[in-house]
Amino acid sequence: MPLSAQLHKLLCVCHIVSYFDYQKKVCQLLCLYNLRYNEDTQKFGFGHQLFIYFVCFWSLLCLPFYLMFLDGYVIDRGSLFIYLLPCIYYKYLESSMLGTLNEMAKVHRKLHSTLGTMFCVSVKRAYCCSWLISIELVFVIYWQIESLKNDIQRLFVFSCLFGWHLQLLLLVNSYIWLQSIYVVMNQIFTLNQLTNEEHWKRFRTVIKQHGTVQQIQRDISHYFSVYMCSVVVLLTSIFYRAVSEAGFDWDQRRLVLLRLQFWHIRYFGNLVLLIGTLLMVLCDYKSERNKFLKAMWNTQDRLQITWSSISSNRCKQTPDVLDLMILTGNSYRNMICTTVTLWELRIKKDIVLTLETACFMNYFFLLMLTVCLVPIIAIANGFKIDLEHKLLNYAFYEVYSNNSDPLSLTIDNLTMYSYVLSHALE
């Protein structure tokens, strides 16, 4: 979304938008999507790029080969199904997401033209979060691709893995933009050099855009609902898979409570890092939105004086902020909102399931607490933790040809390190 105004403050909203433009250009250079912004119409549209279509076709072509060689995946077996479903769902809603992006551009232009220099406000925290999530994603993708011990595996998994992580980048960037917009709208309550009439006009425009911003946030929670569901599945499965692989080890006469392999720790740590950044951005967004709602209700007296001078004959009743929100198109559910909808699954226009950010954060911290307490309690009750390793020579796949010996691809000398929490049997 290009801006015509000069940059007035360091790391302001203008810098955030420019940074998103750089991300978009990099993604287009890598042929990751075909979304284009038309400066003449000031709208987003689909660009027709043959190379991008070829990459999509290649990703679909890799899927059956992955299914054929599924038994040969030693590490992260079957996780492509978790990565693939959000990608398919996002592709299904791509046209709807296009409409939401156009609404975001429209709100951005409207506030920029209404607030003028007040629009250029510093958002250093949001700018740092946008850089942080990009750096984290680069390292996480590298770690996951590097952990695969075969080039064929890397080739097949990379397309879906990259698409899955790019959805997180778009999700975080969306909330960073929402947070920045609320920071801009909060400027209307902090600057007092405006006259009552100017303040009234700008305040009414900001309140009208508030309803649109709230709807954009709910649409974003809808588009990424399946993605967030896959995140919950990954976080839960990694820990409980380590528990399910435990049991009795009769050869060494011990009870194994937890068998935590290094790749379990790496995946769990990567996801915790990424989701922690997402939750930090969500908390910043919620804080700025609540600050806006609180400041809006605190301007009751000033608006009553201003509105009374504009419309004095209204059945001798003084209008208030509630009347203003209704007249500007804000729904009743957005008048006093204390939660953020993180996940909203819809069928057509009917809401089926919703998940609030507070519920997800409670689940996230409860899982972290379980991961920390289980080893501590076990060790306090006599369990010992040991580092073990074993060598694997795994056949990747096998083909029998006519009048010849079997052909096979093997992964030789693959070392699996794992922490084993066990108790010796008497």
Side-chain angles (χ1 to χ4, degrees):
M1 287 172 278
L3 295 174
S4 58
Q6 298 295 324
L7 304 182
H8 300 288
K9 293 185 179 180
L10 180 64
L11 304 184
C12 68
V13 180
C14 311
H15 286 85
I16 284 287
V17 175
S18 301
Y19 175 72
F20 292 163
D21 287 339
Y22 292 142
Q23 286 185 344
K24 182 181 67 176
K25 292 177 182 178
V26 171
C27 290
Q28 289 176 347
L29 181 63
L30 297 176
C31 300
L32 300 176
Y33 67 94
N34 58 343
L35 190 67
R36 287 296 182 91
Y37 183 78
N38 191 334
E39 295 186 5
D40 296 330
T41 60
Q42 294 186 338
K43 289 185 178 180
F44 286 96
F46 292 120
H48 300 285
Q49 301 179 23
L50 182 61
F51 203 19
I52 292 178
Y53 298 146
F54 172 76
V55 173
C56 294
F57 172 75
W58 174 251
S59 300
L60 293 176
L61 189 63
C62 288
L63 178 60
F65 285 97
Y66 180 91
L67 297 176
M68 290 170 58
F69 302 143
L70 183 61
D71 292 336
Y73 280 68
V74 179
I75 299 177
D76 197 19
R77 185 181 303 176
S79 64
L80 180 69
F81 297 104
I82 299 177
Y83 298 139
L84 186 63
L85 182 59
C87 296
I88 294 176
Y89 188 73
Y90 176 73
K91 278 292 182 183
Y92 173 72
L93 295 175
E94 190 174 12
S95 59
S96 300
M97 188 65 182
L98 180 65
T100 301
L101 288 174
N102 286 324
E103 283 295 322
M104 294 169 71
K106 185 178 179 181
V107 170
H108 202 97
R109 291 193 304 269
K110 184 66 175 178
L111 289 175
H112 184 234
S113 61
T114 302
L115 299 178
T117 57
M118 295 170 57
F119 185 85
C120 192
V121 57
S122 179
V123 284
K124 298 178 182 179
R125 186 179 177 90
Y127 186 82
C128 293
C129 287
S130 62
W131 269 104
L132 179 62
I133 191 66
S134 301
I135 296 173
E136 288 176 356
L137 285 175
V138 170
F139 279 102
V140 167
I141 292 174
Y142 171 76
W143 289 332
Q144 289 183 303
I145 294 299
E146 191 272 337
S147 66
L148 299 174
K149 302 301 180 181
N150 190 282
D151 292 336
I152 300 178
Q153 293 181 357
R154 295 171 181 171
L155 184 63
F156 292 163
V157 173
F158 180 76
S159 57
C160 288
L161 184 65
F162 210 48
W164 190 83
H165 284 300
L166 281 178
Q167 290 183 71
L168 178 62
L169 179 63
L170 181 57
L171 175 61
V172 173
N173 283 346
S174 299
Y175 278 105
I176 288 176
W177 179 84
L178 289 171
Q179 175 203 348
S180 301
I181 288 299
Y182 272 109
V183 172
V184 169
M185 292 194 298
N186 283 329
Q187 293 296 105
I188 200 69
F189 305 109
T190 58
L191 299 178
N192 298 321
Q193 64 268 30
L194 301 176
T195 63
N196 285 340
E197 186 177 357
E198 291 175 342
H199 187 275
W200 159 253
K201 291 181 180 179
R202 297 188 181 188
F203 184 78
R204 181 168 182 172
T205 301
V206 168
I207 293 296
K208 187 174 183 179
Q209 297 303 319
H210 167 69
T212 306
V213 171
Q214 287 287 85
Q215 185 59 45
I216 289 173
Q217 191 274 325
R218 297 187 67 87
D219 289 339
I220 291 172
S221 66
H222 167 52
Y223 301 141
F224 296 100
S225 58
V226 176
Y227 180 88
M228 294 307 301
C229 182
S230 68
V231 170
V232 173
V233 172
L234 277 175
L235 280 171
T236 308
S237 63
I238 291 172
F239 176 70
Y240 287 101
R241 182 173 175 177
V243 176
S244 64
E245 292 177 352
F248 288 101
D249 187 353
W250 297 110
D251 295 334
Q252 301 188 26
R253 296 183 59 81
R254 62 181 181 175
L255 172 63
V256 179
L257 179 63
L258 192 67
R259 192 183 300 273
L260 195 61
Q261 297 176 358
F262 271 11
W263 71 272
H264 288 147
I265 300 174
R266 186 191 66 241
Y267 275 25
F268 196 81
N270 291 342
L271 284 174
V272 168
L273 190 65
L274 292 173
I275 301 308
T277 305
L278 172 62
L279 292 179
M280 182 172 61
V281 173
L282 285 172
C283 289
D284 291 341
Y285 158 74
K286 184 175 182 292
S287 175
E288 292 297 333
R289 188 207 59 184
N290 292 346
K291 186 188 300 183
F292 172 81
L293 293 175
K294 183 178 179 180
M296 179 186 61
W297 290 105
N298 289 338
T299 57
Q300 179 89 4
D301 296 337
R302 181 174 182 179
L303 285 177
Q304 285 180 353
I305 297 174
T306 306
W307 202 338
S308 298
S309 62
I310 296 176
S311 177
S312 58
N313 297 322
R314 189 175 176 268
C315 300
K316 297 181 180 180
Q317 178 184 353
T318 304
D320 54 11
V321 177
L322 183 63
D323 298 312
L324 177 60
M325 294 190 71
I326 294 176
L327 290 175
T328 52
N330 290 268
S331 62
Y332 68 93
R333 66 188 304 174
N334 296 329
M335 295 178 184
I336 302 177
C337 188
T338 59
T339 61
V340 176
T341 302
L342 180 63
W343 168 20
E344 184 174 283
L345 189 60
R346 307 174 191 170
I347 297 180
K348 294 183 179 179
K349 294 184 178 181
D350 298 329
I351 300 174
V352 180
L353 293 172
T354 58
L355 177 69
E356 295 180 353
T357 305
C359 296
F360 180 78
M361 292 181 66
N362 292 335
Y363 158 79
F364 183 76
F365 291 127
L366 181 61
L367 185 61
M368 297 298 101
L369 184 64
T370 304
V371 172
C372 296
L373 286 182
V374 167
I376 294 175
I377 295 175
I379 293 174
N381 285 273
F383 281 76
K384 295 183 179 180
I385 187 166
D386 300 313
L387 176 64
E388 296 182 355
H389 66 275
K390 59 181 178 178
L391 295 177
L392 297 177
N393 293 317
Y394 196 89
F396 183 66
Y397 88 118
E398 197 170 78
V399 175
Y400 289 90
S401 57
N402 295 330
N403 300 324
S404 64
D405 295 332
L407 303 175
S408 64
L409 282 173
T410 59
I411 301 176
D412 298 324
N413 299 326
L414 176 62
T415 304
M416 298 289 292
Y417 293 93
S418 58
Y419 287 103
V420 178
L421 189 63
S422 61
H423 183 71
L425 298 176
E426 299 297 338

